[in-house]
Amino acid sequence: MQTIDIEKDGTNKFDELKDKLDDKMELTAVQANFIVYLLKKYNPKKILELGVSAGGSSLLILDTIKDFEDAHLYSIDYLNYWYKDKNKPAGFLVEEKSPELLNKWTLNTGNFACEFIDQICPNNIQDIDFCFIDTMHLRPGEILDFLMVLPYLKKNAVVVFHDTCLHYCMYSINPNADVNCLLMSSIKGQKFQPKCNDIPNIGAIVLDDDINDNIFDIFN
């Protein structure tokens, strides 16, 4: 596991967008800037986000890639609405706070990733460069999410999981909250986490070339 010193790197998109995010993004400053660091490092073209909520992470990603040539974010949420307020549609922050970014965004809601992935990657093309998964946080949640999108990920795609240590933080009484920790352990690849004073609770994997040969580890 490689630790990235985000503060030393100088990435601070979180503070730049703080007013627009309006305390509705469920990422800490370190976690948000870690995602920004990875996006800038790997310069992806096709980005997939699973789990939208209010749209805070969507806005963060879109603002980061706004000057990336040909880059586009595809977001999917099982709910049509923000889980904290059914009167707000999923992803509402983007249209409300940064409508100029909408041309780089495609949002699909109301179902699982498997129902939309063929539209995002027609003809089963493996061309997703970057995938941020932040969904159920309880088994089998993200395990199924990852398996749904794995056939469409490029070799050496970057996959980011949020809430990788929820089972001994907020949800310590629920052992099923270990799902993203299990994925970080079982998926083969180069692994990163941000340096911080507390538990990072986020991690990234650059998938190995032979990831499909190790699929048993994920099922197991």
Side-chain angles (χ1 to χ4, degrees):
M1 180 78 74
Q2 183 176 342
T3 301
I4 306 299
D5 191 335
I6 302 299
E7 186 174 335
K8 186 177 180 180
D9 175 73
T11 300
N12 200 359
K13 179 70 73 174
F14 181 87
D15 279 356
E16 184 183 327
L17 296 175
K18 197 169 184 179
D19 290 341
K20 290 185 176 182
L21 295 171
D22 195 25
D23 293 325
K24 292 183 173 66
M25 181 170 70
E26 295 169 45
L27 296 169
T28 66
V30 169
Q31 293 163 5
N33 290 328
F34 176 64
I35 293 172
V36 172
Y37 166 85
L38 293 168
L39 289 166
K40 290 182 174 180
K41 177 178 174 66
Y42 291 99
N43 191 28
K45 300 302 180 188
K46 182 173 282 190
I47 303 156
L48 178 64
E49 175 190 33
L50 303 185
V52 177
S53 190
S57 55
S58 307
L59 196 158
L60 176 82
I61 295 169
L62 289 165
D63 194 83
T64 303
I65 68 168
K66 61 187 177 186
D67 296 321
F68 290 15
E69 187 177 357
D70 299 325
H72 196 89
L73 172 64
Y74 297 85
S75 300
I76 299 172
D77 199 284
Y78 182 75
L79 298 177
N80 293 311
Y81 54 85
W82 183 31
Y83 76 98
K84 291 185 177 181
D85 183 350
K86 291 187 177 182
N87 295 313
K88 292 280 191 180
F92 68 89
L93 275 179
V94 178
E95 187 166 2
E96 286 187 6
K97 304 294 185 178
S98 292
E100 73 279 5
L101 301 175
L102 289 171
N103 65 321
K104 279 189 169 286
W105 194 35
T106 300
L107 172 64
N108 292 291
T109 63
N111 219 318
F112 294 109
C114 58
E115 296 298 324
F116 304 110
I117 197 71
D118 287 337
Q119 302 168 31
I120 296 168
C121 300
N123 303 316
N124 295 324
I125 296 174
Q126 295 174 290
D127 64 349
I128 295 171
D129 304 289
F130 192 102
C131 183
F132 176 46
I133 302 181
D134 186 16
T135 56
M136 185 66 182
H137 310 319
L138 297 172
R139 272 186 275 123
E142 280 88 338
I143 294 173
L144 297 180
D145 290 322
F146 178 72
L147 291 171
M148 287 181 207
V149 302
L150 178 59
Y152 303 87
L153 300 178
K154 274 186 175 179
K155 284 187 176 181
N156 306 126
V158 179
V159 182
V160 182
F161 294 102
H162 186 219
D163 289 323
T164 52
C165 60
L166 215 56
H167 55 301
Y168 55 87
C169 295
M170 186 185 301
Y171 291 163
S172 58
I173 59 171
N174 192 333
N176 288 340
D178 62 1
V179 57
N180 286 340
C181 181
L182 292 173
L183 284 166
M184 285 296 299
S185 299
S186 61
I187 297 172
K188 299 294 191 297
Q190 187 179 9
K191 300 177 183 183
F192 301 89
Q193 64 181 14
K195 180 181 179 181
C196 60
N197 295 325
D198 202 348
I199 300 167
N201 204 29
I202 193 169
I205 306 172
V206 180
L207 301 181
D208 278 353
D209 284 342
D210 60 349
I211 183 67
N212 289 318
D213 295 337
N214 296 306
I215 198 73
F216 172 78
D217 295 337
I218 300 165
F219 279 96
N220 193 45

